[in-house]
Amino acid sequence: MSTSQSPHDRGKLRDLAVAVAAEAGELAAKGQEGITVLDTKSSPTDVVTEMDRATEELIRDRLLAVRPNDAVLGEEGGGVEGTSGVRWVVDPIDGTVNYLYGSPDWGVAIAAEVDGVVVAAAVGVPSRGQMFEAVLDGGARLDGRALRAPDAVPLDRALVATGFGYSAGRRVHQARVLTEVVGHVRDIRRIGAASIDLTGLAVGRSNAYYERGLNLWDWAAPGLVATEAGVRLGGPGGGPPSEDLVIAARPGLYERLDALLAPLGADTDG
């Protein structure tokens, strides 16, 4: 069966992700003013807003209305089982604390997996009117424009993005790691949303990124955008990305950052 005839056509999955991310972003953007904390997750600083849940519900409903046999894994609502071989991985509002405080740095991330491999993605950044999209082996785009990440730079000229966990103990260790990293790089950026950090690599807003404690929905969609733009995405020692540590940079810089982080225990809590 040709790709165009397949029910798992990557372009069609990407188009659906883009359409749903755009609608979900509009909903979330309208609800940003006056939003209140609904609940907490792993710690008192790991918040869930009512719009997180409303946005995820909209995404799930729209996806399953078109593809009722697919599975859905969402940050807030858990999983919906499917039988098609396709699973949608959804972060309805990535950067919830930014969203809560009125910052523009939050995104809606939707990825499609086929048999466990991310093949299509959309990341909307509503406050900036941006839509990132990608198809595995088909490239990445921002608002229809093809993306290619800038070439690797030496580690000492790299602008490195990172993030911190929600538990106080983890943040303390991450701060210790950061004090060692900062002396070896151009500078550090801490935005507070993995979707913004990873898609930012694709457009040259930073040169590298690392963070411990991310979940699949944090990196699935923006990670495909980054890799299709030429970024290497992985974990310690060149392994796969995981909750232990995600590293992203152009090849060459990736290896140098990985080597810097390894003896610092960046993939541990100290």
Side-chain angles (χ1 to χ4, degrees):
M1 182 178 292
S2 70
T3 301
S4 62
Q5 295 173 318
S6 169
H8 303 334
D9 178 275
R10 295 174 181 179
K12 291 182 178 178
L13 293 173
R14 183 268 321 278
D15 291 346
L16 178 57
V18 167
V20 175
E23 183 180 357
E26 289 180 6
L27 173 68
K30 289 177 182 177
Q32 189 173 20
E33 288 190 17
I35 195 67
T36 57
V37 174
L38 182 63
D39 202 351
T40 59
K41 292 184 285 187
S42 61
S43 78
T45 56
D46 187 4
V47 299
V48 185
T49 69
E50 56 189 308
M51 289 306 300
D52 281 284
R53 293 182 178 170
T55 303
E56 184 171 307
E57 183 177 355
L58 181 147
I59 293 170
R60 183 175 62 250
D61 290 348
R62 296 295 187 269
L63 293 174
L64 295 181
V66 177
R67 298 182 55 90
N69 297 319
D70 291 354
V72 180
L73 174 65
E75 179 179 10
E76 310 305 341
V80 174
E81 297 297 321
T83 58
S84 69
V86 173
R87 182 174 73 161
W88 297 92
V89 182
V90 174
D91 195 340
I93 299 178
D94 178 49
T96 300
V97 174
N98 288 348
Y99 178 84
L100 181 65
Y101 277 77
S103 165
D105 289 322
W106 57 274
V108 177
I110 302 175
E113 291 180 333
V114 176
D115 298 327
V117 177
V118 178
V119 301
V123 179
V125 187
S127 59
R128 302 190 187 281
Q130 295 178 328
M131 181 62 69
F132 294 86
E133 58 187 81
V135 171
L136 182 64
D137 298 326
R141 299 186 296 187
L142 169 58
D143 301 329
R145 174 175 59 87
L147 293 177
R148 194 69 183 163
D151 292 339
V153 298
L155 183 63
D156 63 1
R157 298 214 317 263
L159 183 63
V160 178
T162 192
F164 296 97
Y166 290 110
S167 74
R170 174 170 289 181
R171 287 199 304 272
V172 167
H173 179 63
Q174 288 172 320
R176 293 194 191 104
V177 171
L178 189 60
T179 60
E180 296 295 328
V181 171
V182 72
H184 296 272
V185 302
R186 180 190 293 273
D187 206 349
I188 297 292
R189 292 292 179 268
R190 193 276 199 256
I191 292 174
S195 61
I196 306 299
D197 285 321
L198 285 167
T199 55
L201 293 176
V203 294
R205 292 180 187 140
S206 61
N207 303 110
Y209 168 71
Y210 75 93
E211 186 167 352
R212 172 167 168 76
L214 298 180
N215 293 290
L216 177 59
W217 47 76
D218 293 309
W219 78 75
L224 184 63
V225 172
T227 56
E228 286 298 315
V231 172
R232 180 178 179 183
L233 178 74
S242 71
E243 186 177 349
D244 289 338
L245 190 65
V246 173
I247 303 172
R250 273 288 204 166
L253 177 56
Y254 177 103
E255 291 80 5
R256 292 189 287 272
L257 179 59
D258 184 16
L260 174 62
L261 293 171
L264 303 178
D267 59 336
T268 74
D269 288 334

